[in-house]
Amino acid sequence: MRCTFPWTGMLIDPAGYLTLCCAIKGSGQGKYFGGVHIDDVDGLTEFFNGPQYTQARKDFEWGYEYVPECIECILQNKNGQRPAAKGSHIFDNSNRQKGKVQYLEYTTSNVCNQKCVMCSSKFSTQWADIESIFGRKSHPTQSLSDKSIDKIVKILPDLQQIHVKGGEPFADMKNLRVLEALVEVNPKCKVTMTTNASMIPKKFIEFFKKIENANLVASIDGLGKRYEWIRGSSWEKTEDNMERFAQETGKLFSVFPTVSVYNIQHWKVIDDWVKRRGGIVTKATTWTNPVTSPKWASPKYCMTQEEIDACELPFKIKSEYDPMYVKQHVEYTQKMNEIRGFMIDSAVNTKGI
């Protein structure tokens, strides 16, 4: 299967490193592109047409199946999931001499207002003060410089789609600068934003009123107290924010849950909520995103294949069960119980551990 991202796409990760896509192994630090930071390049179009992208195109000429760094897409395709490579096909690579970035996925910072159990300080500043409790080193706060933002703004006229991630996009007003510039120079560009929706500033609502082609992707991993334990903020406020946004902008959210050991047995509850809340969300839920890290929160490493299959998920997860991660799960779940101030159940069988 062909992946067009080497000819059409670029990703800027929370630390400002450039790579092909979010799924590639060693994103930002690996072979593609070996730790190249946005501050290190003269411009994004120039880098896109430089020797490293040229080599990537040669590597991908016969399909991503032959690129070891694409192991995540290879496994997703094998397990019947939708690989990121398939999403690249909406972009036109028929004219490979075009030399312009068509798809940009970017993050201005790792600033976030949530402390999700499956996250880390690499993607959320809220984790910085508790990483050591979970045996990990803390990542510093990362934020793109104004000069780096200028480089993003420069390629906006060429884009077909821009995907804003985080951190939490609504928590960083630098995103508004980029989006306001986009609507001036390329108003037909599709804007996708992945958000926890627990905070939506008024200025962003005003922006989304002005743009036609928008896709808001809400990370909803449970309802009520389960949501609050997993994500660390108010479920009622999040639901109210989504309703207010939909009413004021006329745009609905799509729902993209992250499947962990804490919600894998409750995925139908989320599906039922989506079907009931047609006024704020689309009628379908995208189930393709299982937790793989930390492993102590992952069904893949903490549950047997029989236990996973009993959950009757709408996609496949192949078990690599290891009791060591179950022991970590017991320890770290208790620590998170203390942080949250209340307890939650999980799908992990801890008998005999």
Side-chain angles (χ1 to χ4, degrees):
M1 180 184 293
R2 292 294 177 93
C3 172
T4 76
F5 281 138
W7 292 270
T8 62
M10 183 180 292
L11 179 144
I12 306 170
D13 80 1
Y17 291 101
L18 308 180
T19 189
L20 289 176
C21 78
C22 64
I24 203 156
K25 187 177 180 181
S27 175
Q29 300 291 327
K31 181 178 179 181
Y32 305 102
F33 294 105
V36 176
H37 195 275
I38 188 171
D39 288 344
D40 300 329
V41 301
D42 293 330
L44 297 181
T45 299
E46 290 79 3
F47 181 68
F48 186 69
N49 290 292
Q52 288 166 296
Y53 257 94
T54 299
Q55 182 59 52
R57 288 164 191 146
K58 290 179 181 178
D59 295 343
F60 278 75
E61 188 66 42
W62 299 105
Y64 70 82
E65 297 93 335
Y66 300 96
V67 181
E69 287 77 12
C70 295
I71 185 64
E72 185 170 337
C73 277
I74 293 169
L75 292 175
Q76 286 177 337
N77 191 52
K78 183 179 180 180
N79 292 333
Q81 299 169 235
R82 185 177 187 272
K86 190 172 182 179
S88 75
H89 292 174
I90 64 173
F91 304 106
D92 178 22
N93 74 329
S94 59
N95 181 1
R96 295 187 175 185
Q97 304 305 313
K98 186 175 182 181
K100 294 179 180 180
V101 181
Q102 297 176 53
Y103 172 78
L104 177 66
E105 182 175 316
Y106 82 94
T107 302
T108 53
S109 71
N110 61 345
V111 173
C112 186
N113 64 316
Q114 287 191 333
K115 192 180 291 180
C116 302
V117 65
M118 60 282 186
C119 199
S120 71
S121 56
K122 179 179 180 179
F123 297 99
S124 172
T125 48
Q126 293 294 313
W127 261 90
D129 61 345
I130 64 167
E131 286 279 31
S132 60
I133 298 174
F134 295 84
R136 303 184 305 208
K137 292 183 178 180
S138 180
H139 292 263
T141 298
Q142 306 278 1
S143 183
L144 294 186
S145 67
D146 288 340
K147 288 185 178 180
S148 294
I149 299 295
D150 289 340
K151 293 174 185 178
I152 294 174
V153 170
K154 189 175 181 179
I155 68 167
L156 295 180
D158 303 326
L159 298 179
Q160 292 185 30
Q161 181 176 348
I162 189 167
H163 191 162
V164 190
K165 290 187 170 181
E168 167 49 43
F170 285 135
D172 191 340
M173 297 306 288
K174 287 184 178 181
N175 286 308
L176 189 63
R177 178 191 165 193
V178 174
L179 295 175
E180 290 286 8
L182 178 70
V183 80
E184 291 295 325
V185 300
N186 190 358
K188 294 184 178 180
C189 179
K190 181 177 181 179
V191 177
T192 298
M193 180 180 286
T194 299
T195 173
N196 61 46
S198 64
M199 62 171 293
I200 308 179
K202 183 67 175 177
K203 288 185 178 180
F204 279 98
I205 292 179
E206 294 304 315
F207 165 78
F208 280 102
K209 287 180 182 180
K210 295 186 289 187
I211 197 162
E212 294 182 9
N213 196 359
N215 177 30
L216 276 293
V217 183
S219 301
I220 303 296
D221 305 326
L223 309 184
K225 299 300 287 185
R226 186 167 301 277
Y227 171 91
E228 292 175 356
W229 192 95
I230 292 172
R231 291 204 157 252
S233 60
S234 166
W235 166 246
E236 182 178 1
K237 183 177 180 181
T238 298
E239 192 173 26
D240 287 347
N241 282 340
M242 294 174 70
E243 187 166 1
R244 175 171 58 91
F245 182 91
Q247 289 175 348
E248 294 192 32
T249 66
K251 295 176 175 64
L252 304 182
F253 290 85
S254 56
V255 175
F256 190 60
T258 301
V259 180
S260 70
V261 295
Y262 303 106
N263 65 1
I264 190 171
Q265 293 176 320
H266 304 270
W267 67 269
K268 291 181 180 179
V269 174
I270 301 173
D271 255 9
D272 289 342
W273 176 81
V274 168
K275 292 171 184 176
R276 293 195 313 269
R277 297 309 312 267
I280 63 173
V281 296
T282 58
K283 292 292 184 180
T285 312
T286 303
W287 294 101
T288 59
N289 190 33
V291 171
T292 55
S293 178
K295 292 182 178 180
W296 52 264
S298 171
K300 180 176 182 178
Y301 298 104
C302 291
M303 298 173 67
T304 66
Q305 193 64 56
E306 183 179 7
E307 291 167 343
I308 292 172
D309 292 345
C311 297
E312 299 181 330
L313 287 169
F315 70 97
K316 295 179 182 179
I317 297 177
K318 185 177 180 181
S319 173
E320 295 183 21
Y321 177 79
D322 189 330
M324 176 181 70
Y325 298 121
V326 177
K327 291 181 181 179
Q328 290 181 3
H329 167 79
V330 173
E331 177 184 357
Y332 293 141
T333 299
Q334 180 55 40
K335 291 182 184 298
M336 189 56 78
N337 284 339
E338 294 170 3
I339 291 169
R340 298 296 192 229
F342 63 98
M343 297 176 64
I344 197 173
D345 64 304
S346 81
V348 178
N349 182 356
T350 59
K351 292 181 180 179
I353 298 299

